[in-house]
Amino acid sequence: MSNAGRTKRYVGIDLGTTFCAVAYLDNHGQPVTIPNAEGSLVTPSVVLFEPTGDVVVGQEAKRSAVIEPDLTVECVKREMGERWYSRQIMGRQLPPPAIAAMILRKLKQDSEAKIGPIDGAVITVPAYFDEGRRQATIAAGQIAGLEVLDILNEPTAAALAYAYRDFLHKSDDVNEIIRLVDETVPGHHAVVYDLGGGTFDVTVLRIEGKDLTVLATDGDVRLGGKDWDERIVNYVAEAFKQKHNQDPRQDKHAMQGLFASAEEAKKNLSVRAKTRIVCTHAGQTMTVDLTREQFEQMTADLLYRTESRVNRVIDAAGLKWGQVDQVLTVGGSTRMPQVLELLKRVTGRPANTSLSPDEVVAHGAAIHAAIRLFQMHHAQTKRQTKAAKPKTPKPKAVEEPLTPRAIDQADVLPMLTDEDLTDTGAEPSMETTVQDAVVDPAQDPVAWNPSAQFDDKEATQVLRAITTSNVNAHSLGVVMTRPDKSKVNSIIIPRNTSLPTSVTKRYGTVVPNQTSVTVIIVEGESTKPDECIPIGVCQIKQLPWGLRKGSTIYVTFSYDNSGRLDVKAVEATSGTTAQATIDRANAMPQEDIAKARQAMARIKVA
Ligand code: AMP
């Protein structure tokens, strides 16, 4: 094996809407941000497609966006999960993961120039990303040649970075740290307020010694610093129109330039009381003055949108503000004084801004990568012990599960009634969860030596001790047929349920002598199946003849910490079973990922 003797290296990547950051844990177990080739700790998530076929990513691409708007892609993260990017690039349609992969490739190659070969990464996503967007993110990583060790919610990453730092700071003595971590300390609650360039995300976590549990999460995929920029753009454009009777927003070159000036002005207003913006269009130039007060007035509704989400998520977590111990800020836009004032007003105390809002998510992802390695090592040891014991054969799925694509064509039988639904919850052990990793480096002996990555014994012990848990951001259910034949989404795992979880519900067959049952699995809150996203199908065929109407079908959803959903449907009398696993790693067909990866290898990314 060419890699023999080398421990695999995993980094944490914050793949932001407007900026990205990469971090790793150094030999002392400290998270460190890796600068890009231009020496900056963050890389703009902007891709410029050169007519030569080469690709430029980052600051240079952001600058060129003004001159070459048609060849430039910004905010591709907003379109992850869509089949194609919203406009053609040089006459070609591109899937968003292929564009995001260009960004990841640049991050990988710049980081490798600093720390040596990188094999894989934990990539972060907003907590409310649905299954499709998470899968698209994994596909992007694979196209860029990265093993995607895990997908981690951004707020969990941020809270993890804060919690990890607190553990490291509590003592210099390893035994003392372990004692602190293990001791039953009263839990506390943290709110992570993350206002980035294109997305807003707010999450409530319970931090209890070594356990981080997401209690509730909410967000807005279309709210971020760019919206604040846009208000300045409109303000300046209106002033220009008044004076010169020309609208710079009609000219996309002028518009891109104006957006860059607006962002600059916004950042100035974070530290100064007033600023000036220069706008040039149609041979005319105009200077517009803007005060912080005016800026805050013209964006008050945007800030209010974050406030109402924050209050909603506190409600969803079943908390009162008095029970929140700290508010952590993430994302460059939290540097705006209006945000800090809002947080102080609603919580009654200043937000904790002690870690860099641009780097904290990547740091948390790097810490999570290290934790996963330890967990997998633990699972591997257990597996080896188990391997010595004789195996009990697993029940076989009667039918290969259908893919979501096949749903449209499937002959869907109305099989479920809403009679007599019961819930039983049972939590699978952590061991099961860690075995179901997206990529399992534990299978690869070269990957496997986590302790060798860190000299610092103290950090190693802390990584071993911390566990994270999560919630599902969207409800998961099945399409059920009511007696009046109407279809309804019957939610099995409600949103904001702690993961891992396993829930069984009882349903009934719809007609006498029903011979098959089709369970359509959907993600979403609406009771109307059309308003939910179909994510898979599980079909039981060859039911025994003579089943009465209403015969029991148990449907079990087991959802693990990394977002993998196992679905099992069992007919109670015969035990006929069907199973399906909805694995995020299979979002984009593997052959498409392989093709995109080959194409990527021929492209020069700088
Ligand atoms: P992120 O997606 O977390 O990298 O957030 C980047 C966003 O933060 C962009 O909209 C930036 O304009 C914004 N930002 C960065 N620095 C500042 C600042 N000093 N004041 C206001 N906004 C900022």
Side-chain angles (χ1 to χ4, degrees), residues 108-120:
K108 180 174 185 271
Q109 77 193 25
D110 283 9
S111 301
E112 286 181 330
K114 299 279 190 289
I115 66 164
I118 291 167
D119 302 279

Side-chain angles (χ1 to χ4, degrees), residues 195 217 236 530:
L195 188 58
T217 187
V236 175
D530 314 353

Side-chain angles (χ1 to χ4, degrees), residues 240-550:
F240 194 97
K241 212 168 114 187
Q242 287 249 314
K243 188 165 175 197
H244 297 294
N245 209 22
Q246 299 257 19
D247 191 341
R249 287 168 295 193
Q250 304 300 326
D251 169 3
K252 56 186 171 192
H253 287 254
M255 184 72 166
Q256 291 251 358
L258 191 50
F259 254 106
S261 312
E263 189 184 6
E264 201 60 41
K266 174 186 73 175
K267 289 182 180 173
N268 279 338
L269 290 175
S270 290
V271 283
R272 286 184 199 91
K274 60 179 185 189
T275 190
R276 318 199 113 164
I277 304 123
V278 179
C279 178
T280 304
H281 169 57
Q284 313 273 4
T285 295
M286 184 183 172
T287 305
V288 179
D289 287 329
L290 183 66
T291 66
R292 188 190 287 170
E293 205 182 332
Q294 286 172 308
F295 176 56
E296 289 182 353
Q297 272 167 11
M298 68 176 70
T299 55
D301 60 314
L302 300 175
L303 193 69
Y304 179 72
R305 272 165 69 187
T306 74
E307 183 178 349
S308 51
R309 296 264 173 174
V310 168
N311 286 324
R312 208 164 85 175
V313 84
I314 291 288
D315 270 357
L319 297 179
K320 299 265 173 274
W321 272 112
Q323 295 168 280
V324 174
D325 303 276
Q326 56 174 342
V327 180
L328 311 174
T329 53
V330 179
S333 302
T334 59
R335 292 201 178 90
M336 291 189 290
Q338 54 178 279
V339 168
L340 299 177
E341 281 154 22
L342 163 78
L343 294 175
K344 194 166 173 199
R345 178 165 56 76
V346 292
T347 64
R349 72 187 70 192
N352 184 346
T353 56
S354 58
L355 291 179
S356 159
D358 304 315
E359 298 167 69
V360 64
V361 169
H363 285 195
I367 295 162
H368 182 75
I371 292 172
R372 287 305 295 247
L373 290 173
F374 280 112
Q375 288 177 336
M376 283 187 279
H377 179 49
H378 184 65
Q380 189 199 32
T381 315
K382 285 221 162 167
R383 264 203 298 269
Q384 281 164 352
T385 321
K386 265 193 196 161
K389 294 180 192 163
K391 280 185 185 164
T392 2
K394 271 192 171 178
K396 271 195 181 159
V398 173
E399 180 84 349
E400 275 288 298
L402 302 180
T403 61
R405 279 178 177 195
I407 290 175
D408 293 344
Q409 295 96 44
D411 176 21
V412 180
L413 285 172
M415 47 67 69
L416 302 165
T417 74
D418 59 352
E419 291 164 5
D420 198 14
L421 303 181
T422 52
D423 257 10
T424 56
E427 293 222 335
S429 69
M430 203 59 197
E431 188 193 330
T432 325
T433 309
V434 293
Q435 285 182 11
D436 293 341
V438 179
V439 173
D440 188 354
Q443 299 296 351
D444 180 350
V446 177
W448 199 244
N449 187 6
S451 302
Q453 295 200 352
F454 313 108
D455 295 343
D456 195 308
K457 218 175 150 203
E458 178 186 312
T460 301
Q461 299 290 6
V462 173
L463 288 173
R464 254 191 238 284
I466 296 179
T467 61
T468 53
S469 52
N470 219 336
V471 293
N472 59 323
H474 300 275
S475 299
L476 293 165
V478 294
V479 177
M480 183 175 82
T481 305
R482 288 191 178 282
D484 66 1
K485 300 274 186 276
S486 65
K487 299 271 195 290
V488 64
N489 170 19
S490 162
I491 290 176
I492 295 185
I493 303 180
R495 67 192 301 223
N496 289 325
T497 301
S498 276
L499 303 181
T501 189
S502 184
V503 179
T504 302
K505 276 198 170 191
R506 196 168 100 175
Y507 298 92
T509 49
V510 165
V511 289
N513 299 324
Q514 192 167 317
T515 54
S516 74
V517 148
T518 302
V519 180
I520 299 177
I521 304 138
V522 291
E523 184 179 66
E525 314 313 316
S526 173
T527 52
K528 294 181 188 152
D530 314 353
E531 291 173 5
C532 300
I533 300 166
I535 60 168
V537 177
C538 183
Q539 201 169 37
I540 316 183
K541 290 216 163 176
Q542 295 156 0
L543 289 176
W545 182 246
L547 282 183
R548 63 172 180 81
K549 178 181 166 184

